[in-house]
């Protein structure tokens, strides 16, 4: 059983996607010769040639705009934008073009584009290298959004995203690129179509809901809580659009308490949507309001303040305590 | 069109002109919500689009390129349905027609043409892309990104700028630093040519040459067709607030239809008018017969594989109808 990092697992997923479908194209800034700044595309140009794996000029809007044209021509583009914070110049293309072309053309021009986006914080990076944009993209009709939490999740979700006939924003948790896991990517697993979550740990007292890098933090919290006899269920949401409401409801019906954890700022973050969905579906089951543990409503800070900004083990434990002790009026 | 055929090009221009006039009339009658008149730009649009090979090329229009749709033989009722507020992007088959659905983001589609051209190059079809944009759109960053990208990869794409003098109320001298969009091509190491945009033969020849060069691996070309928007920016615009009648008069003497007609016989011109009148009647009737699309279509085209949430929203909406 090979041990793979998330970076290697994603690299393998791209390799297999290119092998299985010769319409798949991998392109973006520095993805060719260099193999990507995180080496996710390492070796792909040697394997598939510069026709299918190529560097682009430093132009995010053109990267997404050419992806639109390539998809119109029948290709299956898998562009990379180098960092979350640099996707803003491409938001016009993503929102006004990628997300709407299928609708505008009444289905004549599908957009099977997977945008790979190194995302979230946690690596002491410079400014604009630690953004969490899931709420922005999940709000856009026509897009699907997904974020993996582990190497095996990364492998299978990226394969799924590339196979999907609609545009998918694939948010790679960059702080987990070097986290390793033993798994065999060739081993068949249940499909992970849009809107499937997974229970990363079973528990009965409360449900922690997270995605990307926050899943491992929640698992860490669950370990600590178990020492005090509190059994926490951890749901890895995976797909941020569409959200697996049934999966969340099944968990919350059992535990009757929910805490959402994300790196993005609190206000209008995706936690608000998760909270609303859980409340709509599980109002009678809930024993406490859905809690949110998130970043603050401030710009993503410098490395020296990063640990204060990101949801910490202590902040998550506090939210769990609040939900467990909650009493009506 | 294999060779420049002035009579055929003139016929197409007359169709575009008369349909344009009909659209404005329908807007005033309350039958069309709004429209972006193309009057004055027929030679630029028809001359360039007629040079395309519809078996392998693809065009990316803006929202003022009716002449291109006419020259490409697009279903005009389906095309006008977009202005008619029936469906953003129209009701024609964009893929089969080789004409992308227009959208209101100026310069957005310029990058799409570059991507399409890259796809054509990878597929080795010999196909080329043409993208239509104006002097106003040339200020957008996407035009720079697109030209640079296409220049780096020597892609088979024609950047067809209709410099019609005005970006709504702002004249070219306040819009284009250096005064020429074509001149910018040199900076990208690609061909750039200015052409008389009111001379349909000159436009056809320049575009045909650019397409041939693109197919032969010669890379992209910027064509700047110097023309004039004889009408308002849109049916809710008032050009009297920003430009002079003298200027409009000066350009009306260079009306592209008149320029072409002077080289044709009176019979040819009369026959073209007769043909255009028949097309306009047909399109008008087709437009008036257009009904709103079934509301279910709101839910039909957002995704190829709709999300559960969207299907649920549709279900609740359907229930609300029965309530």
């Amino acid at each position: 059983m090979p041990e793979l990092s998330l970076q290697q697992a994603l690299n393998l997923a791209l390799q297999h996607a290119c092998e299985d479908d010769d319409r798949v194209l991998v392109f973006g800034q520095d993805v060719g010769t260099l193999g990507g700044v995180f080496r996710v595309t390492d070796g792909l140009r040697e394997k598939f040639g510069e026709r299918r794996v190529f560097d682009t000029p430093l132009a995010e809007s053109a990267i997404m705009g050419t992806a639109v044209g390539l998809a119109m021509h029948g290709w299956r583009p898998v562009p990379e934008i180098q960092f979350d914070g640099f996707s803003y110049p491409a938001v016009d293309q993503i929102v006004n073009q990628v997300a709407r072309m299928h609708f505008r053309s009444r289905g004549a021009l599908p957009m099977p584009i997977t945008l790979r986006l190194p995302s979230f914080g946690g690596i002491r990076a410079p400014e604009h290298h630690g953004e969490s944009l899931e709420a922005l993209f999940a709000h856009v009709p026509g897009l699907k959004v997904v974020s993996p939490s582990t190497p095996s999740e990364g492998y299978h979700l990226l394969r799924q995203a590339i196979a999907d006939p609609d545009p998918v924003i694939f948010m790679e948790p960059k702080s987990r690129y070097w986290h390793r896991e033993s798994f065999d990517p060739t081993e068949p697993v249940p499909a992970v179509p849009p809107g499937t979550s997974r229970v990363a740990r079973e528990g009965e007292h409360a449900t922690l809901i997270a995605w990307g890098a926050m899943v491992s933090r929640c698992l860490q919290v669950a370990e600590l809580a178990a020492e005090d006899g509190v059994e926490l269920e951890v749901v890895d949401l995976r797909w941020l659009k569409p959200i697996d409401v049934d999966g969340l409801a099944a968990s919350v019906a059992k535990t009757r308490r929910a805490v959402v954890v994300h790196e993005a700022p609190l206000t209008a973050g995706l936690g608000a949507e998760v909270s609303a969905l859980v409340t709509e579906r599980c109002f009678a089951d809930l024993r406490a309001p859905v809690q949110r543990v998130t970043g603050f409503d401030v710009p993503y800070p410098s490395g020296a303040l990063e640990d204060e900004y990101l949801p910490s083990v202590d902040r998550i434990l506090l939210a769990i305590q609040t939900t467990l002790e909650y009493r009506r009026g | 069109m294999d060779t420049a055929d002035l009579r055929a090009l003139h016929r197409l221009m007359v169709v575009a002109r008369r349909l344009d006039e009909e659209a404005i009339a329908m807007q005033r009658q309350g039958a069309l919500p709004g429209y972006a008149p193309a009057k004055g730009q027929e030679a630029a649009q028809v001359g360039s689009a007629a040079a395309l090979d519809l078996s392998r090329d693809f065009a990316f229009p803006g929202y003022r390129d009716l002449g291109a749709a006419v020259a490409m033989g697009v279903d005009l009722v389906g095309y006008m349905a977009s202005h008619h507020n029936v469906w953003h992007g129209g009701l024609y088959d964009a893929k089969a027609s080789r004409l992308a659905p227009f959208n209101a983001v100026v310069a957005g589609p310029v990058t799409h043409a570059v991507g399409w051209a890259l796809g054509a190059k990878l597929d080795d079809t010999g196909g080329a892309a043409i993208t239509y944009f104006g002097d106003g759109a040339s200020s957008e960053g996407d035009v720079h990104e697109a030209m640079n990208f296409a220049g780096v990869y020597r892609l088979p794409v024609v950047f067809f700028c209709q410099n019609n003098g005005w970006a709504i109320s702002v004249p070219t001298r306040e819009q284009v630093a250096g005064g020429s969009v074509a001149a910018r091509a040199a900076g990208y190491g690609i061909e750039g040519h200015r052409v008389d945009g009111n001379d349909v033969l000159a436009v056809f020849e320049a575009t045909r040459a650019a397409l041939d060069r693109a197919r032969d691996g010669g890379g992209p070309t910027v064509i700047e067709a110097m023309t004039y928007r004889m009408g308002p920016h849109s049916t809710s615009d008032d050009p009297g607030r920003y430009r002079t009648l003298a200027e409009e008069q000066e350009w009306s003497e260079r009306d592209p239809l008149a320029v072409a007609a002077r080289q044709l016989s009176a019979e040819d011109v009369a026959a073209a008018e007769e043909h255009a009148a028949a097309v306009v009647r047909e399109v008008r009737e087709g437009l008036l017969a257009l009904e709103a699309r079934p509301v279910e279509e709101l839910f039909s085209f957002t995704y190829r594989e709709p999300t559960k949430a969207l299907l649920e929203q549709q279900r609740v909406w359907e229930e609300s109808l029965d309530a």
Side-chain angles (χ1 to χ4, degrees):
Chain A
M1 187 83 78
E3 200 180 62
L4 296 169
S5 67
L6 176 62
Q7 168 259 324
Q8 290 169 317
L10 295 171
N11 180 262
L12 207 55
L14 289 170
Q15 185 190 314
H16 291 170
C18 287
E19 282 165 0
D20 288 359
D21 180 354
D22 58 17
R23 308 301 288 172
V24 171
L25 299 173
V26 174
F27 56 96
Q29 295 161 206
D30 308 298
V31 303
T33 311
L34 183 69
V37 291
F38 291 107
R39 306 293 181 270
V40 173
T41 55
D42 191 29
L44 296 179
R45 200 176 71 160
E46 289 72 14
K47 283 193 183 73
F48 301 101
E50 57 189 17
R51 285 167 60 86
R52 295 192 52 203
V53 181
F54 53 91
D55 290 319
T56 64
L58 203 165
E60 291 84 1
S61 188
I63 289 170
M64 290 318 290
T66 51
V68 170
L70 283 161
M72 286 167 84
H73 201 279
W75 293 87
R76 196 167 274 267
V78 187
E80 173 186 302
I81 286 179
Q82 206 158 63
F83 280 99
D84 39 63
F86 306 138
S87 68
Y88 292 113
V91 166
D92 168 50
Q93 285 290 343
I94 295 168
V95 173
N96 282 325
Q97 309 298 345
V98 173
R100 293 174 195 230
M101 192 62 79
H102 187 264
F103 187 82
R104 184 184 294 140
S105 68
R106 300 173 58 80
L109 301 168
M111 291 281 115
I113 297 169
T114 302
L115 167 59
R116 290 186 39 251
L117 192 60
S119 294
F120 314 122
I123 63 163
R124 306 282 188 265
E127 199 185 1
H128 311 298
H129 294 67
E131 309 278 300
S132 301
L133 293 170
E134 64 271 27
L136 188 151
F137 292 129
H139 190 60
V140 178
L143 299 180
K144 294 171 183 175
V145 186
V146 64
S147 184
S149 58
T150 69
S152 61
E153 288 290 306
Y155 177 84
H156 294 294
L157 287 170
L158 185 51
R159 295 299 311 271
Q160 185 74 48
I162 294 170
D164 197 273
D166 292 306
V168 179
I169 311 293
F170 190 86
M171 301 178 71
E172 300 173 359
K174 66 176 85 81
S175 66
R176 306 296 292 167
Y177 273 138
W178 306 280
H179 168 75
R180 304 179 78 78
E181 181 191 3
S182 290
F183 80 103
D184 180 357
T186 60
E187 204 173 283
V189 296
V192 281
T196 48
S197 65
R198 78 181 172 111
V199 176
R201 180 190 174 112
E202 293 208 346
E204 52 185 327
H205 297 130
T207 301
L208 289 178
I209 303 160
W211 50 90
M214 287 297 107
V215 173
S216 64
R217 181 145 301 178
C218 287
L219 289 169
Q220 204 184 343
V221 168
E223 283 292 319
L224 290 169
E227 292 171 13
D228 293 334
V230 177
E231 293 300 334
L232 297 172
E233 181 138 313
V234 178
V235 174
D236 177 356
L237 202 51
R238 287 175 168 158
W239 290 90
L240 310 178
K241 185 179 197 172
I243 289 172
D244 181 6
V245 188
D246 295 342
L248 292 178
S251 178
V252 174
K254 180 173 68 167
T255 66
R256 303 184 155 214
R257 291 177 167 83
V259 178
V260 195
V261 182
H262 62 64
E263 297 187 32
L266 175 74
T267 302
L270 203 71
E273 180 69 21
V274 172
S275 171
L277 289 168
V278 169
T279 305
E280 281 168 9
R281 275 291 293 271
C282 308
F283 188 66
D285 294 316
L286 283 168
R287 289 291 174 269
V290 178
Q291 302 286 313
R292 288 178 288 165
V293 185
T294 69
F296 304 113
D297 288 356
V298 301
Y300 195 88
S302 187
L305 294 170
E306 197 172 54
D307 292 343
E308 297 307 313
Y309 172 89
L310 291 170
S312 63
V313 168
D314 286 348
R315 281 209 282 142
I316 300 168
L317 282 169
L318 198 61
I320 291 161
Q321 194 180 343
T322 304
T323 191
L324 290 175
E325 292 174 358
Y326 183 82
R327 294 285 174 274
R328 275 166 212 246
Chain B
M1 202 175 287
D2 289 335
T3 54
D5 176 345
L6 183 63
R7 191 189 308 162
L9 291 167
H10 172 263
R11 254 170 100 87
L12 292 166
M13 288 200 292
V14 177
V15 169
R17 171 68 57 90
R18 300 302 167 232
L19 193 53
D20 198 70
E21 288 166 345
E22 181 66 26
I24 294 165
M26 285 178 80
Q27 193 274 332
R28 290 186 181 144
Q29 294 156 9
L32 196 71
Y35 180 66
K39 184 182 180 181
Q41 298 178 219
E42 292 87 352
Q45 295 170 9
V46 167
S48 55
L52 296 168
D53 175 350
L54 296 186
S55 71
R56 52 184 176 164
D57 296 342
F58 211 96
F60 295 80
Y63 49 75
R64 194 192 309 284
D65 292 314
L66 173 64
V70 169
M72 291 173 74
V74 175
D75 163 36
L76 293 170
V77 175
Y79 173 85
M80 290 299 292
S82 189
H83 294 297
H84 207 64
N85 267 10
V86 176
W87 194 267
H88 293 313
L91 295 175
Y92 68 100
D93 183 334
K95 200 176 176 98
S97 305
R98 321 300 284 171
L99 183 76
F102 71 72
N103 71 85
V105 182
V106 298
V110 179
T111 59
H112 304 175
V114 171
W116 194 95
L118 176 56
K121 186 177 179 176
L122 291 170
D123 273 338
D124 208 20
T125 60
I130 189 167
T131 170
Y132 291 92
F133 60 101
D135 44 303
S138 79
S139 298
E140 291 277 8
D142 268 5
V143 169
H144 161 67
E145 293 196 18
M147 288 182 183
N148 184 61
F149 198 115
V152 167
Y153 281 102
R154 311 295 299 162
L155 297 175
V157 55
V158 178
F159 297 103
F160 193 88
C161 175
Q162 293 172 82
N163 186 336
N164 67 8
W166 294 93
I168 304 190
S169 65
V170 175
T172 303
R173 69 175 179 277
E174 292 172 32
Q175 184 72 247
V176 181
S180 164
V181 178
R184 294 176 182 175
Y188 302 109
I190 62 182
E191 295 259 351
H193 301 288
R194 243 190 195 178
V195 60
D196 178 353
N198 285 18
D199 177 345
V200 72
L201 290 175
V203 172
F204 180 92
E205 298 293 358
T207 310
R208 174 51 59 85
L211 290 166
D212 288 347
R213 195 165 40 243
R215 292 188 218 291
D216 296 344
T221 303
V222 179
I223 296 176
E224 184 177 21
M226 305 307 286
T227 181
Y228 194 72
R229 189 193 78 214
M230 290 169 82
H233 164 75
S234 74
T235 41
S236 46
D237 177 40
D238 174 13
R241 293 176 66 95
Y242 53 80
R243 66 187 191 189
T244 64
L245 278 172
E247 179 188 282
E248 292 184 3
Q249 187 57 41
E250 195 184 321
W251 275 94
S252 73
E253 286 160 22
R254 298 176 52 194
D255 183 326
L257 270 70
V259 170
R262 279 198 287 272
Q263 304 166 72
L264 295 168
S265 70
E267 290 78 19
D268 284 339
V269 174
E273 290 291 358
E274 205 176 323
H275 165 67
V279 173
V280 167
R281 263 196 309 277
E282 205 179 315
V283 174
R284 180 189 168 89
E285 280 164 20
L287 273 176
L288 292 175
L290 270 187
E291 290 176 2
R293 303 301 307 171
V295 187
E296 301 87 270
E297 289 196 352
L298 260 185
F299 302 96
S300 305
F301 296 115
T302 303
Y303 293 99
R304 205 122 188 118
E305 289 180 358
T307 61
K308 259 194 204 168
L310 184 56
L311 293 171
E312 176 64 10
Q313 288 164 34
Q314 182 173 2
R315 193 189 61 75
V316 171
W317 166 75
E318 280 167 358
E319 274 182 6
S320 76
L321 295 181
D322 304 333

